Amino acid sequence: MAQIPNLDNSPLNLKSFREQSQKDLVDILKNIRGKKCLVIDPKLSGSISLIIQITILRENGAELRHLSAEPVQTDCTKVVYLVRSEFSLMRFICSNIHHDTSQGLQREYYVYFVPRREVVCEKVLEEENVHNLVTIGEYPLYMVPLDEDVLSFELDLANKECLVDGNTSSLWHIAKAIHKLESSFGVIPNVRAKGKASVRIADILNRMQAEEPVNSSDMVMPEINTLILIDREVDMVTPMCSQLTYEGLLDEFLHINNGAMELDSSIMGVQQEGKKMKVPLNSSDKLFKEIRDLNFEVVVQVLRQKATSMKQDYTDMTTTHQTVSELKDFVKKLNSLPEMTRHINLAQHLSTFTSKHSFQSRLDMEQTLVEAQSYDICYDYIEELIHKQEPLVTVVRLLILFSITNSGLPKKNFDHLRRELLHSYGFEHIAMLNNLEKAGLLKKQESKGNWLTIKRNLQLVTEDTDTTNPNDIAYVFSGYAPLSIRLVQHAVRSGWRPMEETLKLLPGPHSEMKRGGFSSSSSFDTLHGASAAVDRVADGRRALVLVVFIGGVTFAEISALRFLSAQEAMAYDMIIGTTKIVNGNTLTQTYMENLG
């Protein structure tokens, strides 16, 4: 199964978008004649593999290497670097070129920045006296389709950069990516933003439209009806909770990267000692598309039913006389056997984690933290984890959840846990604690918190959640409805105005605007009374909402959005944009830097 996702069923023509990115990269290679060595920044290789097949790069004369501090080993006289605009990568390139020069190697060098060149990077090349040896260009890859309804801007550190480092360069990048979408699909008439970064992106987007207007005169109606921008900072509770959907749990325990997992082959039932296997996960796999968004409890039941049904069909085949069309149906079912085997193996492996007592007790604790009713029980539990020296990321993740739902910790408790943590894990982690404080994720309690009010107003905790036939997004966390998706639900239904008071309790400003001369076009303010015609673009498809998360989104939140979109009362399709797919661990790890 190909790792490049099939985008045929995307509610937006993302295929043409991807084809343009393929063409741009092939053109770069074609313009450099003959054989060349393409040296790719390792962080980009996953994104590139979702855009273009490696064979196409080779067909265009490229020999592939990963950029590192080591010299590039190649016989090619032309070396093409494809890199993000990062200071440290410039050092690698300079070191490579200096090495070649010292060896008397005569080569042509090309540096293509993704998505755009930065003055600070070119300055490094100048200081190292290699600028005049290099031809500089840009490869404008601002976003990558991870699946038919998910776009990633591939900005791993956007959340920490905005909250801790004060670096907001990623906001321009996101606005540029959305503006590129507008160039293809029309100016988005309704924009709703919540959070400091989101409101700024909405402003940058307006500035870009004023400076480089998208020509909307030939478009009857823009394809994207509304853009909803949400800062991760607005809801840091959701990513710190353990996801309970199939895809969410796969990411929590086995880590999905660029739409694939790298696993020991033994997990997949292949007995090859120490061999790793790449397992792609996208909607090209029909069974995965069917089960990815279900609560894991239900996935096990579905797989069991399918296996039983297949076994029964096989028994019928061998014991009764079958017609040709019945044989044909049976063979068709057999074609899905590899997918069945793959997901039964994965589900079996996941069960080894989810059946552990430690996992169940963590879920109970997360629920208690979200309820924010039993302070002492939570405090003792976290203190015990520190004394047992449980993995630091697990402890910090719960600590963040504890701090947010209690609006910080009383000074005495705050100082005590901080001291215990440094004693247990080492004083080099003081930089991490400072980062968390700066980001407001771990703090001293200064006033009574408003989490209980937010929880009540948005109905975030639901009793007796039916995970088999869910009627609410809370099924993705077995009883907790992700705050971020509740906000989207309200933004879609009636805009920000009716929930103004609740929005003020959450971090950052909010804004709502109409733009692009479409102020009379369909708006969400009339969703339930809207006629079907209003909710459709010219060719009869449902109108679209683009929901963008600045600082990352979890698979469980994506599942909740898909669930919302599938409801009868919802007249809109949704596409999700994100700086990166995250989970509680990966998000926490961005703050974990050591001193020394």
Side-chain angles (χ1 to χ4, degrees):
M1 196 178 85
Q3 193 186 331
I4 295 185
N6 181 340
L7 302 176
D8 291 347
N9 296 319
S10 176
L12 204 58
N13 188 359
L14 296 180
K15 206 170 180 180
S16 66
F17 225 79
R18 183 171 66 193
E19 282 164 2
Q20 186 56 53
S21 297
Q22 284 176 359
K23 185 182 176 300
D24 290 346
L25 188 51
V26 167
D27 286 349
I28 287 171
L29 297 176
K30 278 184 176 167
N31 289 336
I32 301 166
R33 294 184 183 280
K35 272 192 74 180
K36 72 278 296 178
C37 181
L38 180 62
V39 184
I40 301 177
D41 164 1
K43 275 268 178 81
L44 280 178
S45 59
S47 308
I48 301 296
S49 70
L50 289 168
I51 292 291
I52 194 164
Q53 277 160 340
I54 301 301
T55 48
I56 298 174
L57 298 177
R58 293 200 176 113
E59 282 162 16
N60 284 280
E63 185 184 281
L64 302 179
R65 297 284 184 277
H66 270 155
L67 177 63
S68 70
E70 298 302 309
V72 178
Q73 301 295 331
T74 179
D75 296 331
C76 299
T77 54
K78 294 171 180 176
V79 178
V80 185
Y81 292 98
L82 193 63
V83 292
R84 291 163 302 138
S85 300
E86 278 208 3
F87 188 81
S88 58
L89 301 176
M90 297 307 103
R91 293 276 177 229
F92 287 162
I93 292 171
C94 294
S95 146
N96 283 186
I97 295 173
H98 288 320
H99 174 269
D100 290 355
T101 311
S102 70
Q103 298 295 308
L105 294 169
Q106 297 256 308
R107 284 176 174 160
E108 289 176 33
Y109 301 100
Y110 301 82
V111 176
Y112 279 87
F113 289 106
V114 183
R116 62 173 184 150
R117 60 207 286 177
E118 300 267 358
V119 174
V120 66
C121 291
E122 292 188 51
K123 203 121 186 86
V124 177
L125 300 177
E126 276 174 26
E127 284 166 5
E128 294 284 336
N129 296 320
V130 299
H131 199 266
N132 57 336
L133 302 173
V134 170
T135 305
I136 289 176
E138 291 179 340
Y139 175 42
L141 184 67
Y142 283 92
M143 64 192 127
V144 178
L146 295 182
D147 218 323
E148 54 194 31
D149 57 353
V150 184
L151 289 163
S152 175
F153 310 124
E154 292 301 292
L155 297 163
D156 304 30
L157 300 173
N159 192 59
K160 176 182 174 276
E161 285 175 350
C162 289
L163 295 183
V164 178
D165 308 331
N167 175 358
T168 54
S169 58
S170 60
L171 306 190
W172 185 92
H173 176 128
I174 298 160
K176 180 72 178 174
I178 297 168
H179 194 56
K180 281 189 82 156
L181 281 175
E182 291 189 310
S183 304
S184 300
F185 306 114
V187 177
I188 305 170
N190 305 297
V191 179
R192 298 186 174 133
K194 172 62 186 166
K196 223 181 309 181
S198 292
V199 168
R200 275 194 67 178
I201 289 169
D203 291 342
I204 296 168
L205 206 50
N206 275 351
R207 209 159 62 234
M208 283 178 174
Q209 175 58 12
E211 289 165 11
E212 307 166 43
V214 169
N215 183 12
S216 51
S217 58
D218 53 345
M219 297 196 186
V220 183
M221 183 84 82
E223 285 199 49
I224 302 170
N225 180 293
T226 289
L227 167 65
I228 298 170
L229 295 150
I230 294 185
D231 283 20
R232 183 74 276 169
E233 183 195 11
V234 171
D235 171 21
M236 283 295 282
V237 167
T238 298
M240 296 306 149
C241 293
S242 300
Q243 305 171 74
L244 296 175
T245 56
Y246 180 46
E247 190 169 17
L249 273 172
L250 284 172
D251 190 44
E252 293 275 0
F253 290 115
L254 303 174
H255 194 51
I256 300 170
N257 196 15
N258 296 108
M261 296 184 301
E262 201 166 276
L263 305 172
D264 285 337
S265 58
S266 59
I267 294 170
M268 304 309 290
V270 180
Q271 296 308 322
Q272 285 179 303
E273 197 59 44
K275 192 169 178 354
K276 294 274 186 191
M277 267 180 85
K278 204 154 206 181
V279 182
L281 290 171
N282 57 50
S283 47
S284 308
D285 174 341
K286 289 188 176 61
L287 178 57
F288 183 60
K289 187 176 181 177
E290 184 187 331
I291 62 176
R292 68 194 305 180
D293 301 317
L294 303 178
N295 189 292
F296 185 55
E297 286 175 0
V298 182
V299 170
V300 177
Q301 294 163 25
V302 170
L303 291 174
R304 190 179 293 120
Q305 283 161 5
K306 285 183 181 292
T308 308
S309 157
M310 203 173 261
K311 191 178 176 185
Q312 185 59 48
D313 288 343
Y314 179 73
T315 307
D316 294 348
M317 277 296 303
T318 52
T319 56
T320 59
H321 185 67
Q322 303 285 314
T323 65
V324 173
S325 74
E326 283 171 333
L327 282 172
K328 202 173 166 187
D329 288 343
F330 180 66
V331 170
K332 204 183 269 183
K333 278 190 175 177
L334 276 185
N335 288 338
S336 66
L337 198 57
E339 292 182 355
M340 276 284 292
T341 310
R342 179 187 304 130
H343 293 294
I344 286 170
N345 282 328
L346 287 173
Q348 190 181 2
H349 188 62
L350 272 187
S351 297
T352 62
F353 297 105
T354 58
S355 59
K356 283 182 182 166
H357 174 69
S358 58
F359 179 69
Q360 293 302 325
S361 70
R362 196 169 101 207
L363 287 186
D364 291 343
M365 185 45 56
E366 286 172 7
Q367 197 177 344
T368 310
L369 286 163
V370 168
E371 293 276 6
Q373 303 282 26
S374 314
Y375 182 90
D376 291 341
I377 294 171
C378 301
Y379 181 82
D380 293 345
Y381 182 84
I382 291 172
E383 190 178 33
E384 189 184 338
L385 289 184
I386 294 171
H387 292 161
K388 283 183 178 171
Q389 288 200 314
E390 291 291 332
L392 180 60
V393 70
T394 308
V395 176
V396 173
R397 192 171 162 171
L398 281 172
L399 201 49
I400 291 171
L401 194 52
F402 190 32
S403 180
I404 293 169
T405 52
N406 284 283
S407 197
L409 279 64
K411 186 180 182 314
K412 192 176 81 172
N413 294 159
F414 175 88
D415 291 340
H416 177 72
L417 281 185
R418 206 172 181 278
R419 199 163 49 244
E420 291 295 295
L421 206 119
L422 292 174
H423 275 302
S424 250
Y425 297 96
F427 283 87
E428 65 272 20
H429 294 294
I430 198 157
M432 172 198 71
L433 291 173
N434 290 342
N435 286 342
L436 292 172
E437 278 186 68
K438 206 168 174 186
L441 299 177
L442 182 60
K443 59 181 189 179
K444 294 185 182 111
Q445 202 176 63
E446 283 162 4
S447 59
K448 191 177 180 298
N450 49 29
W451 173 251
L452 291 174
T453 313
I454 294 164
K455 185 181 67 143
R456 187 180 60 249
N457 290 0
L458 294 174
Q459 294 173 301
L460 298 183
V461 176
T462 61
E463 298 296 322
D464 306 320
T465 306
D466 183 350
T467 53
T468 310
N469 299 300
N471 58 5
D472 185 74
I473 55 172
Y475 84 93
V476 298
F477 288 100
S478 294
Y480 161 69
L483 191 163
S484 54
I485 312 305
R486 274 282 191 258
L487 292 181
V488 173
Q489 213 173 352
H490 283 280
V492 165
R493 200 172 285 156
S494 50
W496 291 146
R497 210 167 301 122
M499 57 176 313
E500 199 92 34
E501 290 312 306
T502 305
L503 283 174
K504 285 175 184 169
L505 301 177
L506 294 163
H510 59 278
S511 69
E512 191 161 7
M513 64 179 94
K514 290 198 175 296
R515 49 200 289 276
F518 285 101
S519 54
S520 60
S521 74
S522 64
S523 163
F524 288 109
D525 299 341
T526 56
L527 177 70
H528 292 297
S531 69
V534 168
D535 298 324
R536 296 183 184 276
V537 284
D539 61 1
R541 284 175 296 149
R542 299 205 306 172
L544 258 182
V545 182
L546 172 62
V547 184
V548 175
F549 293 87
I550 293 95
V553 68
T554 64
F555 282 116
E557 288 168 299
I558 292 173
S559 293
L561 284 172
R562 287 183 184 136
F563 174 82
L564 273 188
S565 186
Q567 299 311 294
E568 271 182 50
M570 174 64 74
Y572 300 85
D573 281 325
M574 294 202 189
I575 282 208
I576 298 115
T578 181
T579 47
K580 193 75 180 165
I581 303 276
V582 296
N583 61 45
N585 287 357
T586 55
L587 200 49
T588 302
Q589 278 159 353
T590 59
Y591 293 92
M592 291 170 79
E593 53 182 288
N594 294 346
L595 287 182

